[in-house]
Amino acid sequence: MVSVHTSPLAQPGTGDAGGMNVYVLNTARELARAGVEVEIFTRATSSDEAPTVEAEPGVLVHHVPAGPFEGLSKNDLPTQLCAFTGGLLRAEAHRRPGHYDLIHAHYWLSGQAGWVAAERWGVPLVQTFHTLAKVKNAGLAEGDSPEPYTRVIGEEQVVSEADLLIANTAAEAAELQGHYGAPEGRIAVVHPGVDLGVFRPGDRTAAREALNLPQGALVVAFVGRIQPAKAPDVLLRGLARLREQDPELSEKIVPVFVGGPSNTDPYWLPRLAWELGLGDTVQWRSPRSGEALAQVYRAADVVAVPSHNESFGLVALEAQATGTPVVAAKVGGLPTAVAEGRSGLLVDSHSADDWADALRKILGDTSLRADLAGNARTHAALFSWRETATGIRSSYRRAAESHATGRLQSAC
């Protein structure tokens, strides 16, 4: 696996680390448990990192030096693709011929490096984009910077060269076809999963005690990177509008934001909270994962996912796995991750009025909230990382067959 811009060992929720980290690490683990040896190549970002780390038996993470350890944003990394690809090729050169059977690249930067390595080694290239530039630019947050044209070109090249593209949902598969001209026969749809052992229902009272949250409050949680694309400001504006419309209900609400800044002014969201008159009610918490993150979900009455775009929406799935309903934007893969009207509510816009309406509907109706919570775990249980890995292994076989057929046709 190639994951250039973010390590699967990094803490999700800050910088460039997010759902892709969770996806890469968990699929690698499940593949290893099924007998597939996985080596993950990522760019080294600290001199303290060991060159190679065993994440667990069967999963190695290689930190490839490429450019300065710190100070490079994701948009700077195309300048280091040559150095990274060189490191990737050198690693294979120390192995016996044919050591690697297949390359699975994550994000477009990895696809560029994987494309070169796949041609050099004569192996199939499987690509998962996680996000697409043309889709992000079509639903850009106000004030957010569009994805550069170099990324669009890079994605088009990888789509053209990959033996197989793995899409998270049927909606993403349609985007690959519509925006990038990807042939339907070279796309496999494999849903991401959730760790149903870690993210499980538990004691809400104990969770609130652990997080020092008031027991009688209505807790609304946001989990993710604090950046315009994730739209935490949309949630704040919806809460501010709700306070104007229903002050009595709003007095009970405690918003909790769990995450860190991602290539943005670290104070932009707290400033907005104070400007909207919510500064004294919002609680800010640092990024976390595993059981500590599950406690956040259990403590919440509802988890909000207002993103402008999500290829899937792992936060929504994790929250539902703990038995907490979700209010999410009706974009990208979220209509798959959330069962509308059964495990959560979907909002068809990012307007303050619509978000206020949705929040009032779920927070003001105890019976509805209980019904959604009762179905949330059942819906989340349809997704697991083991099932995801099974789908990925099937995709690998398809890619290998396609690659072998293509080489035979070329030889003829």
Side-chain angles (χ1 to χ4, degrees):
M1 291 191 185
V2 184
S3 180
V4 172
H5 82 276
T6 181
S7 169
L9 303 180
Q11 169 63 58
T14 189
D16 290 322
M20 195 179 97
N21 300 61
V22 178
Y23 182 103
V24 172
L25 184 58
N26 280 281
T27 55
R29 283 172 171 166
E30 291 298 335
L31 287 168
R33 291 166 187 169
V36 180
E37 294 181 57
V38 183
E39 297 187 26
I40 305 169
F41 290 84
T42 187
R43 194 181 77 87
T45 56
S46 170
S47 58
D48 295 330
E49 294 170 337
T52 299
V53 175
E54 185 180 53
E56 73 169 59
V59 180
L60 298 178
V61 178
H62 302 293
H63 297 107
V64 179
F69 290 124
E70 299 175 353
L72 286 183
S73 74
K74 187 165 58 176
N75 291 335
D76 297 322
L77 291 181
T79 64
Q80 302 304 321
L81 278 178
C82 184
F84 181 90
T85 305
L88 182 63
L89 295 177
R90 279 193 296 273
E92 188 270 348
H94 288 89
R95 300 287 195 175
R96 58 172 174 75
H99 177 74
Y100 297 111
D101 298 296
L102 177 142
I103 296 173
H104 187 174
H106 297 271
Y107 196 67
W108 78 276
L109 292 168
S110 304
Q112 289 283 318
W115 168 21
V116 175
E119 284 199 345
R120 177 73 175 268
W121 303 343
V123 300
L125 173 64
V126 173
Q127 174 72 31
T128 303
F129 282 106
H130 297 277
T131 62
L132 294 164
K134 291 181 181 180
V135 175
K136 289 187 73 174
N137 287 345
L140 208 60
E142 184 178 347
D144 203 4
S145 300
E147 293 298 312
Y149 190 56
T150 50
R151 175 179 173 181
V152 173
I153 296 297
E155 288 176 346
E156 290 175 341
Q157 292 171 334
V158 174
V159 166
S160 176
E161 295 297 328
D163 293 278
L164 191 74
L165 305 167
I166 294 182
N168 287 330
T169 63
E172 186 183 356
E175 290 164 350
L176 283 166
Q177 293 177 65
H179 289 292
Y180 294 87
E184 183 179 359
R186 286 201 292 113
I187 303 174
V189 176
V190 181
H191 297 318
V194 62
D195 189 329
L196 296 167
V198 172
F199 299 102
R200 64 193 187 282
D203 189 332
R204 173 167 291 170
T205 299
R208 291 194 175 186
E209 285 179 357
L211 292 164
N212 195 28
L213 292 170
Q215 293 295 341
L218 291 170
V219 176
V220 179
F222 171 94
V223 174
R225 286 168 287 170
I226 306 300
Q227 60 176 197
K230 296 297 182 182
D233 57 311
V234 169
L235 175 58
L236 282 179
R237 295 182 196 280
L239 289 167
R241 187 60 50 85
L242 179 59
R243 189 181 57 177
E244 296 171 1
Q245 298 171 349
D246 194 337
E248 185 178 349
L249 178 63
S250 294
E251 284 181 2
K252 304 174 186 177
I253 299 174
V254 175
V256 179
F257 286 76
V258 181
S262 176
N263 304 313
T264 58
D265 174 2
Y267 303 109
W268 75 277
L269 197 64
R271 275 200 305 269
L272 178 61
W274 283 104
E275 289 170 7
L276 294 171
L278 300 172
D280 56 348
T281 66
V282 177
Q283 297 205 17
W284 309 97
R285 303 299 172 91
S286 60
R288 59 202 67 200
S289 55
E291 179 61 25
L293 180 56
Q295 286 285 65
V296 172
Y297 294 135
R298 294 185 195 117
D301 291 283
V302 62
V303 171
V305 187
S307 307
H308 287 280
N309 182 261
E310 287 285 353
S311 62
F312 188 69
L314 291 181
V315 165
L317 204 57
E318 290 169 351
Q320 291 168 99
T322 67
T324 300
V326 172
V327 175
K330 194 174 183 178
V331 298
L334 285 168
T336 300
V338 180
E340 164 69 359
R342 290 191 292 115
S343 65
L345 303 178
L346 295 173
V347 185
D348 207 10
S349 85
H350 292 88
S351 77
D353 286 332
D354 287 346
W355 273 83
D357 289 345
L359 291 167
R360 181 172 54 250
K361 182 176 180 179
I362 194 169
L363 294 173
D365 188 334
T366 305
S367 177
L368 171 63
R369 203 162 62 248
D371 287 344
L372 296 175
N375 294 325
R377 173 72 180 185
T378 302
H379 178 67
L382 299 174
F383 305 85
S384 73
W385 288 119
R386 180 175 295 178
E387 287 298 314
T388 303
T390 298
I392 289 175
R393 289 174 67 199
S394 175
S395 300
Y396 288 173
R397 286 191 288 271
R398 275 184 59 187
E401 292 168 1
S402 173
H403 184 75
T405 301
R407 295 190 71 179
L408 179 60
Q409 289 174 344
S410 296
C412 291

